[in-house]
Amino acid sequence: MARIVECVPNFSEGRRKDVVNAVADAAREVQGVRILDVEMDASHNRAVLTFVGEPEPVQEAAFRVVAKAVELIDLNVHEGEHPRIGAADVVPFIPISEVTLEECVKLAHDLGRRINEELGVPIYFYAEAAMKEERRLLPKIRKGQFEALKEEMGVKAERDPDVGEAKIHPTAGATVVGARGPLIAYNVDLCTDDLDLAKSIAKRIRTSSGGFPAVQAAGFNLEERGMVQVSMNLLNFRETPIPRVFEAIREEAKAAGVPIERSEVVGLIPLDALLDSAEFYLQLHGFDRNQILERRLWE
Amino acid sequence: MARIVECVPNFSEGRRKDVVNAVADAAREVQGVRILDVEMDASHNRAVLTFVGEPEPVQEAAFRVVAKAVELIDLNVHEGEHPRIGAADVVPFIPISEVTLEECVKLAHDLGRRINEELGVPIYFYAEAAMKEERRLLPKIRKGQFEALKEEMGVKAERDPDVGEAKIHPTAGATVVGARGPLIAYNVDLCTDDLDLAKSIAKRIRTSSGGFPAVQAAGFNLEERGMVQVSMNLLNFRETPIPRVFEAIREEAKAAGVPIERSEVVGLIPLDALLDSAEFYLQLHGFDRNQILERRLWE
């Protein structure tokens, strides 16, 4: 199977379809890149593009979509609910298959330098590509948005970009580039209407309150079904595999006498996350993924 | 993902490499067919070819390899340890992806009729394609081999083929065509040197002694590792999924105070067998395999 990287750039345009199409087309032009999804949100006034392919063409496509966004989007006349600092706002690389997170960090760093050099947009690195610990998360970087950054860049040292002069691009602002693991939206439903139980389990497993690494979790009520849900984002399924959270939730719920009703994956999931789960539960030893019959056909 | 059928024809030639190559080449000629494996066994004097692709080209390739074997192999001068009645001895179709077993039965029936019509070889249908209950298994059909069949066909009514006159092909004998689920060679190792336990568990789970359907099982000693093994062929992983046998073995072993050391898959396994396992253990609900990110790339 090929080496596959995913790129999910976010753009500050969710209303003008021709602009979003032009940005997506810039990726389509690159051979070996496949667009999986183009999402526009008018109230956020934001678009999210998802494309995949081998590392090199994906990196090239990422540069081209950023260039097109810089050309067509003017943040001075942009308004929407979603916080943003750039025409091309956030550009994450995600390892999908036979590519490491470290390789994606390198893709991000190289892309950031090229964007700055060729387009004059200052660059921040976030997530695994962050060069400063406080820039791992987006909210700090985007504080006050384009409008505040315009005033503060070049004035406050903590606003200095990771690449380029401390000088905002007059229309395209600044761009955040990074690398992260694939995000899996994963929910576990409990056979109870006890919302406090879902909330306390979520608290116990999520990173922010001392649980597993790379896990965001919250408890929700599923009123129609008379159940509650532990709703999660698994940010790195290799660091915290699905069975680890599933079994932890099962144990916590069991201690309260509550069984699990079911679990669900929302949206896309990398194949490896499911294969890892099968291997874990079946205690599979010495399994080589080339033993999967269909893999011979994908090659 | 494409519709995929596997075909694993067995030929009565395991010594003359040029003959086996010529047979394999006959499948290679068909566009859309991919050869996964060519195995020759000199003492069995038998070759096993494995190829995959969409149903139509796989069926065409199956016809061509049978035709080539009929042309090149003369059973009157064939000897080997493995029982056989035909130059092309057994031709099973196996559903791999987005194809049903029923469709494979139809492929088998149509192929059988074509072989008889164009090559003059009488046909028996076996496994899921069997037209008579006593022909589901091969040993009955192959009883006494080519030599006995030559004498008895046209004489004893129970030897009448399912397609064609009761008249054996003078050099190519008869061919058995059929459809079956994909076979998974799956072993579970137990943390004990108690061979009797492995044997009694094997007996409890296998079809032939009243266990699960579509399961062959035996107990073995793994002397080097000081363990014992329940060794299985899972003949239909949709009818008896891997987790069902794994959990049954776990329970039986547990009752004897013995934990499972590990399990292993020998050779190829269809992706669905692993995905089914992940879904089972994670109690995944409403999961659509199009949610697997890589699938978008295989299309």
Side-chain angles (χ1 to χ4, degrees):
Chain A
M1 193 143 47
R3 288 158 42 80
I4 300 168
V5 170
E6 182 185 35
C7 186
V8 189
N10 289 224
F11 303 95
S12 297
E13 179 56 67
R15 292 168 192 169
R16 291 179 300 164
K17 207 159 183 183
D18 55 325
V19 170
V20 175
N21 283 343
V23 169
D25 285 344
R28 264 189 204 101
E29 277 168 12
V30 181
Q31 217 192 343
V33 166
R34 192 171 176 128
I35 310 261
L36 297 187
D37 195 33
V38 184
E39 252 180 71
M40 285 177 70
D41 185 308
S43 68
H44 283 184
N45 200 3
R46 191 174 180 86
V48 180
L49 193 60
T50 304
F51 55 87
V52 291
E54 301 223 6
E56 209 178 317
V58 165
Q59 191 186 39
E60 176 63 28
F63 176 77
R64 293 198 195 179
V65 295
V66 170
K68 188 53 79 177
V70 169
E71 179 193 329
L72 298 179
I73 299 171
D74 181 355
L75 279 190
N76 298 286
V77 296
H78 175 274
E79 53 183 29
E81 282 170 28
H82 201 289
R84 82 287 179 262
I85 58 169
D89 194 49
V90 187
V91 184
F93 290 100
I94 299 139
I96 299 300
S97 180
E98 308 204 358
V99 171
T100 64
L101 193 51
E102 291 63 39
E103 289 175 274
C104 286
V105 168
K106 190 168 179 329
L107 289 177
H109 288 165
D110 292 347
L111 175 70
R113 282 187 284 267
R114 183 175 173 200
I115 291 172
N116 181 257
E117 208 164 280
E118 298 188 29
L119 307 174
V121 176
I123 299 294
Y124 297 99
F125 291 122
Y126 89 116
E128 297 300 315
M131 288 176 156
K132 293 174 178 146
E133 194 51 38
E134 68 271 21
R135 289 187 179 163
R136 289 187 77 86
L137 301 176
L138 289 169
K140 273 261 171 77
I141 302 174
R142 283 200 294 224
K143 196 179 169 200
Q145 303 193 49
F146 171 67
E147 289 72 15
L149 195 60
K150 204 160 54 168
E151 304 299 322
E152 296 173 6
M153 205 190 268
V155 178
K156 293 186 179 176
E158 78 260 23
R159 287 295 211 168
D160 283 357
D162 293 308
V163 180
E165 277 183 77
K167 204 180 143 200
I168 203 159
H169 186 288
T171 57
T175 293
V176 190
V177 181
R180 59 167 172 82
L183 183 153
I184 300 170
Y186 182 62
N187 300 328
V188 176
D189 301 349
L190 309 179
C191 293
T192 176
D193 59 0
D194 178 1
L195 180 58
D196 286 342
L197 179 66
K199 285 186 169 176
S200 80
I201 292 177
K203 196 175 166 189
R204 201 151 310 179
I205 63 169
R206 72 188 167 217
T207 314
S208 65
S209 44
F212 297 114
V215 174
Q216 299 170 335
F220 288 104
N221 210 347
L222 304 174
E223 250 172 272
E224 274 180 36
R225 296 183 35 234
M227 290 187 185
V228 297
Q229 180 176 80
V230 181
S231 178
M232 289 162 279
N233 281 325
L234 306 180
L235 306 176
N236 186 338
F237 73 86
R238 296 191 197 279
E239 201 175 354
T240 301
I242 300 180
R244 193 165 302 155
V245 296
F246 182 74
E247 292 303 321
I249 292 169
R250 193 216 295 276
E251 286 307 313
E252 295 285 339
K254 197 177 169 188
V258 172
I260 284 178
E261 164 71 8
R262 68 188 205 187
S263 79
E264 63 173 344
V265 171
V266 182
L268 296 179
I269 181 169
L271 178 62
D272 275 350
L274 294 169
L275 295 180
D276 287 352
S277 301
E279 284 191 51
F280 170 82
Y281 283 110
L282 295 174
Q283 296 173 235
L284 265 185
H285 185 90
F287 184 69
D288 178 342
R289 289 180 186 184
N290 285 318
Q291 291 179 253
I292 298 172
L293 207 151
E294 286 91 337
R295 270 188 90 129
R296 312 274 186 114
L297 298 169
W298 310 326
E299 275 159 11
Chain B
M1 193 143 45
R3 286 157 44 80
I4 300 168
V5 170
E6 185 185 32
C7 185
V8 189
N10 289 224
F11 304 96
S12 297
E13 178 56 67
R15 293 170 192 168
R16 292 179 297 164
K17 208 162 183 181
D18 55 325
V19 170
V20 175
N21 283 344
V23 169
D25 285 345
R28 267 191 202 98
E29 275 169 13
V30 180
Q31 216 191 343
V33 167
R34 194 174 175 126
I35 310 263
L36 296 186
D37 196 32
V38 183
E39 252 179 72
M40 284 176 70
D41 186 307
S43 68
H44 283 183
N45 200 3
R46 192 174 178 86
V48 179
L49 192 61
T50 305
F51 55 87
V52 291
E54 302 222 5
E56 207 179 319
V58 164
Q59 191 186 38
E60 175 64 26
F63 176 77
R64 294 199 194 179
V65 296
V66 170
K68 187 54 77 177
V70 169
E71 178 193 331
L72 299 178
I73 299 169
D74 180 356
L75 279 189
N76 298 287
V77 296
H78 175 275
E79 53 182 30
E81 282 170 29
H82 201 289
R84 82 287 179 261
I85 57 169
D89 194 49
V90 186
V91 185
F93 290 100
I94 300 139
I96 299 300
S97 181
E98 309 204 355
V99 171
T100 63
L101 192 52
E102 289 65 38
E103 288 174 277
C104 286
V105 168
K106 190 169 178 331
L107 289 177
H109 288 164
D110 291 348
L111 176 70
R113 280 187 283 267
R114 183 174 173 200
I115 292 172
N116 180 258
E117 208 163 282
E118 299 189 28
L119 307 174
V121 177
I123 300 294
Y124 298 99
F125 292 122
Y126 87 116
E128 296 301 317
M131 289 177 157
K132 294 176 177 142
E133 194 52 37
E134 68 271 21
R135 290 190 178 162
R136 290 187 75 87
L137 300 176
L138 289 169
K140 274 260 171 77
I141 302 175
R142 284 200 294 225
K143 197 177 169 202
Q145 303 193 49
F146 172 67
E147 289 70 17
L149 196 59
K150 208 161 47 168
E151 304 299 322
E152 296 173 6
M153 205 189 269
V155 178
K156 294 187 178 174
E158 77 260 26
R159 287 295 211 170
D160 283 357
D162 293 308
V163 181
E165 277 181 75
K167 203 181 143 199
I168 204 158
H169 186 287
T171 56
T175 294
V176 190
V177 182
R180 59 167 171 83
L183 182 152
I184 299 170
Y186 182 62
N187 300 327
V188 175
D189 300 350
L190 308 179
C191 294
T192 177
D193 58 1
D194 178 1
L195 180 59
D196 286 343
L197 180 65
K199 286 186 169 177
S200 81
I201 291 177
K203 196 176 166 189
R204 200 150 312 180
I205 63 170
R206 70 187 169 220
T207 314
S208 65
S209 44
F212 297 113
V215 174
Q216 299 170 335
F220 289 105
N221 210 349
L222 303 175
E223 250 172 89
E224 275 182 34
R225 297 182 34 233
M227 291 186 184
V228 297
Q229 179 175 80
V230 182
S231 178
M232 289 162 280
N233 281 325
L234 306 180
L235 306 177
N236 186 338
F237 73 87
R238 297 191 199 278
E239 201 175 355
T240 301
I242 299 180
R244 192 165 301 154
V245 293
F246 182 74
E247 292 303 321
I249 293 169
R250 194 215 295 278
E251 287 306 314
E252 294 286 338
K254 197 175 168 188
V258 171
I260 284 178
E261 163 72 8
R262 67 187 204 186
S263 79
E264 64 173 343
V265 172
V266 181
L268 296 178
I269 181 170
L271 178 61
D272 275 350
L274 294 169
L275 295 180
D276 287 352
S277 301
E279 284 191 51
F280 170 82
Y281 283 110
L282 296 173
Q283 296 173 234
L284 265 184
H285 185 91
F287 184 68
D288 178 341
R289 287 175 189 187
N290 285 317
Q291 290 179 253
I292 298 172
L293 208 151
E294 286 90 339
R295 271 187 89 129
R296 311 276 185 115
L297 299 169
W298 308 329
E299 277 161 9

